Amino acid sequence: MAETASCYHCGNDLPKNQSPIAADINGQTFQVCCLGCKSVTEHIYNNGLGTYYQFRSDMASKPEENVTDERFLVYDDIGFLEQISSVTEDPNVRKVILSVDNIHCAACAWLIEQSLTTLNGIIKVNVNTINQRAEIIWQHPTLPLSSILSKLTAVGYPSSPFNVSDTEHKLKFQEKQYIKRLGVAGLFTMQVMMIAFAMYFGAFNNMESHQVGYFKWLSLILSVPVVFYSALPFLFGSYYSIKAKKLNMDVPVAFAIYGAFFASFYQLLVNGLNGDQGEVFFESISMFTFLLLIGKYLEFRAKSKAILSNANLNKNLPVTVNKIVNGEPMVELVKNIKLGDLVLIKPGQNIAIDGVIQDGVTSVNESVLNGEFEPIAKLTGDTVLAGSINNDGVITVEVTAMGDKTTLSKIGDLQEEFARHKPVYTQFADKIAHWFVFSQLILALITYVIWYFVEPVDALWVSLSVLVATCPCALSLATPTAYTCVISALNKQGILIKDPLAFDKLSHLTHVCFDKTGTLTKGRFEIQQAYYHQANLLSLGLPVDLLKAIIIRLQKHSEHPISNAFDQTLFEQSPVELELEQGTQPEAQLQIDSLTNISAVVGSGIKGEYLGQTVKVGSAQFCGVGTSMHLSNANVFVCYQGQILAEFYVSDQLKSESIDVLSQLNNAGYQLTMLTGDSSEQAKLLGKQLKLDRVETGCLPDKKAQYVSDIQQDSPTNLVLMVGDGINDSPVFAASDVSVAMGDGADVTKYAADIIILKGNLNSIISLINAAKQTRTTIKSNLYWSLIYNLVILPVAMLGYVAPYIAVIGMSASSILVVTNSLRLLKVK
């Protein structure tokens, strides 16, 4: 037996205190760590693929044990197969793209390809080790997809159909079109240029005139594919632009290409085969189109990088889940899952649905939602979201949302809405581009007329250069590319923009207001002190335990974070709790069901009726507490029948980043204010600790909104950012110029805020403001560059100092420069 300290297949340590497991390979045995590795190792060798172990650059991943074909049978559903695969020219041959796990190197790709080719029905297998995908072309009636997936799992590469979004499909199709048109333009431009070079360098000087004419006609024929195939997008673009009475950058390009072509064609018709007469520009037209397409393709690739960084959030979601039926997990398509179903999620699995944990404890990776890679602990009753990865525990989840109703899908909708947004800068650029093109056409016409009387031979050349050199491509790209890049960067940090107009205002802020609870503090309240008024409780015949039960029942109907402090731990001994007489507690405890008509009073507290009398839990003002307080720092009170029964000092901890973030905002010149409903001394002390400009305590929601309105009325230049936790903040959010909710991602649509920060980390406020400022700076620099370039190149081109091919290079370079400048926003922090 080959002795090894670790598993021969996956490299993990061999298990101790149990009988060794060995893979039997042609009389030789190799120690492995589990039955899964044993099965895979023997499978690889038995299929003649043992050389994989010689050439692999990394150890294989640990496979699953007891893999059976049954769990893949769901992939053979005809309706589902139609969604995930495409039909080739042969209706019996299908193509699918699989997302393959555990690919490390070229040896992995080789093993996958060699394993699948042994299956009857496989036509082609192409594995991409970079994006870990495999393209499979197979005969569907002969070989079901489940057999392919089972085979891949058997050799240690679990796979699932890759969900390519419409955006990615569209971009791939556009890229193919660009390459085809670029290839045609390049091929025929080379042929035309060979003839042109021969003509320029005197190779045709000894030829007869009609022979030279033949070569000009040949140049015409060779340029036709370039003009009427490669350049067609410019022609169609200009046609629709003129039809819409809104000139775009395609108009001057189309005028330049087709104007020069038909002018040259006219010269050939007029002069016949007289090669010494008439000037033609077929080589210039072809070269111009070829260079222009190169620039457009490079520009397209740059923009695609930004677009794809936003698109297809759902592409890695599993298409099946383990639905629990009669207590046993069964594989089921997500599209067949219903609300309320129970699903089993194992360690390492991507979560395909939103739901609430009914059983089990785990930690999840929610980086796709909020950019945070640190694992988040999840207990029974917690929410898990589609797109998250279950790290280590086995959990049973009740489905609350799936498909386009999940939080992940809603985030994608917000991205698309932002991408469609046309900010003021974009509208300004579009308006300038329209009139710039109109002016450009007029100037090109004037240039042609002037040069026609000065030097008729060069008139077309010069006017062509004017049209091309001053094409406002960069101007039109100045803002869209910047906004596409910045939304990608923000989403990766867990910052969602619900109102794009609010993002535009961030670079002009003057005031920043904060809620306290859950924003500057963690929102995890604890009861620090508790005092029960013995005399009042005795007079009403209420034992402490009954009062505690009433408080807990009331607080369960409150959404305020402070209510979480009043749970079953309230029954633990409090620091200054006073004991009541024994003997009355058991029978009084049974009266808790008499608590009815419970309702929350926003910003004040919660109340209900107990035995026909009102009981309140909340602020001193809400409970009508005067000077009869026992605890000087109490901030939550309980009263019943007009008497105060209990006082609590409840507090939470300051967020670790609060001091640093507010210091940065203060240094940046913003006026900082805390608006809180807390009227205790703790709130005032917190304001001093954070060095705030102003602290407003005891604020009801309407008072917060009025405070923001007062700031706005002080000066027309005042712009207010309000940061809160989204609870009871709707009035002040509506009043502020920009509102930010520190959310938890459970439901991105429940907040009335313009912007949601899913991490709940205040550092994201700095990132958000910096991103807005950098976006504004980037757009301005893009606009300045494009305008300066056009204003400088215009007179130079009109004077005849810019050849058409130089004009093409200059125009393309300016566009690529603008796009590249915008791509820097992908790294904004």
Side-chain angles (χ1 to χ4, degrees):
M1 177 179 290
E3 296 291 337
T4 56
S6 59
C7 176
Y8 177 72
H9 180 71
C10 70
N12 288 344
D13 292 336
L14 296 175
K16 298 178 180 179
N17 302 323
Q18 74 174 52
S19 301
I21 302 173
D24 187 9
I25 310 297
N26 297 327
Q28 186 178 9
T29 56
F30 297 93
Q31 288 187 344
V32 292
C33 64
C34 63
L35 294 177
C37 288
K38 169 182 169 67
S39 175
V40 171
T41 303
E42 292 177 348
H43 182 90
I44 290 174
Y45 272 103
N46 291 339
N47 283 273
L49 304 174
T51 52
Y52 158 75
Y53 291 105
Q54 300 176 20
F55 298 105
R56 61 179 178 177
S57 60
D58 199 357
M59 302 300 289
S61 298
K62 186 181 180 69
E64 298 182 39
E65 296 186 40
N66 302 321
V67 175
T68 60
D69 292 341
E70 285 75 10
R71 70 176 190 169
F72 300 113
L73 294 178
V74 68
Y75 290 100
D76 296 334
D77 178 85
I78 298 300
F80 179 61
L81 197 62
E82 293 289 341
Q83 297 179 25
I84 63 171
S85 65
S86 58
V87 179
T88 60
E89 295 180 357
D90 185 343
N92 292 325
V93 175
R94 304 193 71 88
K95 179 173 73 174
V96 69
I97 297 177
L98 301 179
S99 179
V100 185
D101 295 340
N102 305 335
I103 294 181
H104 303 295
C105 59
C108 296
W110 176 84
L111 178 60
I112 291 170
E113 292 173 356
Q114 294 300 316
S115 297
L116 291 183
T117 52
T118 62
L119 298 177
N120 182 29
I122 288 289
I123 297 176
K124 181 181 179 182
V125 179
N126 183 24
V127 179
N128 188 320
T129 58
I130 303 299
N131 56 28
Q132 296 198 353
R133 297 176 198 163
E135 181 185 79
I136 313 293
I137 300 177
W138 84 104
Q139 293 178 339
H140 173 247
T142 305
L143 179 66
L145 180 58
S146 59
S147 297
I148 298 175
L149 297 174
S150 178
K151 183 73 171 181
L152 286 170
T153 303
V155 293
Y157 298 95
S159 306
S160 60
F162 176 73
N163 180 20
V164 185
S165 69
D166 292 339
T167 301
E168 192 166 351
H169 269 308
K170 183 178 179 181
L171 290 175
K172 286 184 177 296
F173 175 77
Q174 291 177 344
E175 183 173 15
K176 288 181 180 179
Q177 293 300 311
Y178 267 113
I179 292 174
K180 286 179 181 179
R181 297 184 190 279
L182 189 58
V184 170
L187 177 64
F188 287 96
T189 295
M190 286 191 294
Q191 311 307 316
V192 177
M193 289 304 297
M194 284 193 295
I195 297 174
F197 274 119
M199 190 177 297
Y200 294 153
F201 290 103
F204 298 161
N205 288 346
N206 298 325
M207 290 185 180
E208 297 291 335
S209 177
H210 68 277
Q211 292 176 313
V212 176
Y214 280 129
F215 282 103
K216 288 185 176 181
W217 278 96
L218 180 58
S219 297
L220 165 67
I221 296 171
L222 292 172
S223 65
V224 165
V226 179
V227 174
F228 292 100
Y229 175 69
S230 297
L232 273 183
F234 304 113
L235 179 63
F236 289 145
S238 63
Y239 167 74
Y240 291 119
S241 173
I242 295 172
K243 185 178 180 180
K245 298 180 181 179
K246 187 175 179 66
L247 303 178
N248 66 6
M249 61 186 179
D250 289 331
V251 175
V253 171
F255 266 101
I257 293 174
Y258 292 94
F261 178 82
F262 286 110
S264 300
F265 183 50
Y266 173 76
Q267 291 290 342
L268 282 182
L269 291 177
V270 171
N271 296 290
L273 293 178
N274 190 350
D276 296 332
Q277 301 295 323
E279 189 71 29
V280 294
F281 306 98
F282 298 120
E283 75 285 348
S284 298
I285 297 166
S286 300
M287 180 60 72
F288 165 63
T289 303
F290 178 61
L291 293 176
L292 186 64
L293 285 172
I294 290 177
K296 286 293 179 186
Y297 178 66
L298 294 175
E299 174 191 310
F300 167 80
R301 289 295 301 272
K303 288 194 296 182
S304 296
K305 179 181 179 181
I307 294 172
L308 285 176
S309 63
N310 287 338
N312 210 13
L313 284 172
N314 296 305
K315 67 183 180 182
N316 289 324
L317 289 183
V319 294
T320 62
V321 293
N322 293 311
K323 178 182 176 180
I324 296 179
V325 180
N326 297 325
E328 295 295 329
M330 296 181 61
V331 177
E332 183 63 82
L333 290 172
V334 173
K335 69 184 184 72
N336 295 332
I337 293 296
K338 299 178 181 178
L339 296 179
D341 284 347
L342 294 179
V343 298
L344 185 72
I345 303 175
K346 299 177 182 180
Q349 288 186 339
N350 284 49
I351 300 174
I353 45 84
D354 286 1
V356 177
I357 298 176
Q358 300 299 311
D359 183 42
V361 176
T362 188
S363 64
V364 299
N365 180 334
E366 294 184 347
S367 58
V368 71
L369 293 154
N370 57 25
E372 183 59 61
F373 287 89
E374 288 295 322
I376 301 172
K378 295 289 183 177
L379 309 176
T380 300
D382 287 344
T383 299
V384 292
L385 304 175
S388 306
I389 301 174
N390 182 26
N391 284 337
D392 44 29
V394 178
I395 53 177
T396 301
V397 177
E398 180 182 350
V399 178
T400 58
M402 58 275 186
D404 59 0
K405 303 299 182 182
T406 63
T407 297
L408 187 67
S409 182
K410 293 171 185 175
I411 292 174
D413 293 341
L414 292 178
Q415 290 181 350
E416 292 181 9
E417 182 180 345
F418 191 91
R420 292 192 295 267
H421 170 59
K422 280 201 169 187
V424 176
Y425 296 120
T426 302
Q427 297 171 18
F428 172 71
D430 288 347
K431 188 178 295 184
I432 289 180
H434 170 75
W435 290 108
F436 199 98
V437 171
F438 180 77
S439 303
Q440 180 189 19
L441 295 173
I442 299 298
L443 290 172
L445 179 61
I446 294 173
T447 301
Y448 179 82
V449 172
I450 294 174
W451 275 88
Y452 183 80
F453 289 104
V454 175
E455 191 68 48
V457 176
D458 295 332
L460 187 61
W461 278 93
V462 177
S463 59
L464 179 69
S465 297
V466 171
L467 283 172
V468 176
T470 58
C471 182
C473 299
L475 192 65
S476 299
L477 293 168
T479 54
T481 52
Y483 272 79
T484 301
C485 292
V486 76
I487 189 60
S488 172
L490 291 177
N491 286 343
K492 289 179 179 178
Q493 299 177 52
I495 302 174
L496 305 180
I497 312 295
K498 291 184 67 178
D499 184 0
L501 291 174
F503 182 78
D504 295 340
K505 298 177 184 177
L506 284 171
S507 55
H508 303 287
L509 294 176
T510 56
H511 294 69
V512 182
C513 299
F514 294 91
D515 183 26
K516 177 177 77 73
T517 305
T519 303
L520 296 174
T521 61
K522 295 180 179 179
R524 299 173 185 170
F525 287 89
E526 295 179 354
I527 299 174
Q528 302 297 327
Q529 286 181 293
Y531 181 84
Y532 299 91
H533 290 256
Q534 182 182 32
N536 293 342
L537 285 167
L538 285 173
S539 67
L540 295 172
L542 289 176
V544 172
D545 282 352
L546 176 58
L547 179 64
K548 290 177 178 179
I550 291 173
I551 295 171
I552 292 171
R553 178 71 63 89
L554 286 170
Q555 294 289 10
K556 285 184 180 298
H557 291 78
S558 173
E559 292 187 359
H560 196 282
I562 203 170
S563 65
N564 295 326
F566 295 88
D567 54 17
Q568 293 300 323
T569 59
L570 188 63
F571 280 96
E572 298 175 0
Q573 183 68 23
S574 301
V576 290
E577 181 180 312
L578 299 180
E579 295 292 341
L580 296 182
E581 294 182 3
Q582 298 181 356
T584 59
Q585 294 184 12
E587 52 270 10
Q589 182 74 41
L590 298 176
Q591 299 177 15
I592 187 62
D593 292 333
S594 299
L595 187 63
T596 59
N597 298 328
I598 301 174
S599 62
V601 180
V602 177
S604 297
I606 193 163
K607 63 181 180 179
E609 290 186 6
Y610 180 69
L611 300 179
Q613 298 292 325
T614 300
V615 58
K616 295 181 179 180
V617 180
S619 65
Q621 182 181 359
F622 177 62
C623 293
V625 177
T627 58
S628 57
M629 294 171 53
H630 180 82
L631 300 176
S632 60
N633 56 355
N635 52 5
V636 178
F637 301 87
V638 183
C639 65
Y640 178 58
Q641 295 187 21
Q643 298 185 53
I644 181 171
L645 302 184
E647 304 172 23
F648 299 95
Y649 169 52
V650 183
S651 66
D652 63 343
Q653 296 180 354
L654 189 69
K655 287 183 177 179
S656 58
E657 73 273 11
S658 293
I659 294 176
D660 180 56
V661 169
L662 267 65
S663 175
Q664 292 183 57
L665 292 173
N666 187 38
N667 293 335
Y670 297 108
Q671 293 291 309
L672 305 180
T673 303
M674 182 172 72
L675 304 175
T676 177
D678 188 356
S679 57
S680 68
E681 287 296 320
Q682 183 200 20
K684 297 176 182 178
L685 292 174
L686 184 64
K688 292 181 180 180
Q689 181 183 358
L690 296 174
K691 299 180 181 179
L692 297 170
D693 296 299
R694 190 167 178 178
V695 177
E696 294 288 324
T697 61
C699 293
L700 296 176
D702 291 343
K703 184 180 178 181
K704 293 181 181 181
Q706 185 59 49
Y707 179 83
V708 169
S709 297
D710 291 342
I711 296 176
Q712 294 165 332
Q713 292 173 5
D714 288 343
S715 172
T717 60
N718 284 349
L719 287 180
V720 182
L721 167 65
M722 179 66 201
V723 185
D725 63 357
I727 300 174
N728 302 332
D729 289 326
S730 295
V732 69
F733 277 0
S736 60
D737 296 285
V738 184
S739 55
V740 174
M742 310 294 285
D744 60 2
D747 187 350
V748 298
T749 61
K750 72 179 181 183
Y751 301 108
D754 302 317
I755 299 167
I756 300 173
I757 296 176
L758 296 178
K759 288 182 181 180
N761 191 309
L762 280 173
N763 285 310
S764 297
I765 297 292
I766 303 296
S767 299
L768 179 63
I769 295 175
N770 288 341
K773 290 182 176 180
Q774 290 183 41
T775 302
R776 185 167 177 261
T777 301
T778 299
I779 291 174
K780 277 188 172 182
S781 61
N782 286 347
L783 290 173
Y784 288 152
W785 161 253
S786 57
L787 287 171
I788 290 172
Y789 164 77
N790 281 282
L791 292 175
V792 169
I793 200 69
L794 178 61
V796 179
M798 292 181 69
L799 291 173
Y801 292 116
V802 179
Y805 73 93
I806 296 296
V808 175
I809 295 174
M811 183 200 68
S812 299
S814 66
S815 298
I816 294 171
L817 179 64
V818 164
V819 174
T820 304
N821 187 40
S822 296
L823 286 174
R824 293 189 302 125
L825 291 172
L826 287 172
K827 300 179 181 180
V828 69
K829 294 182 179 180

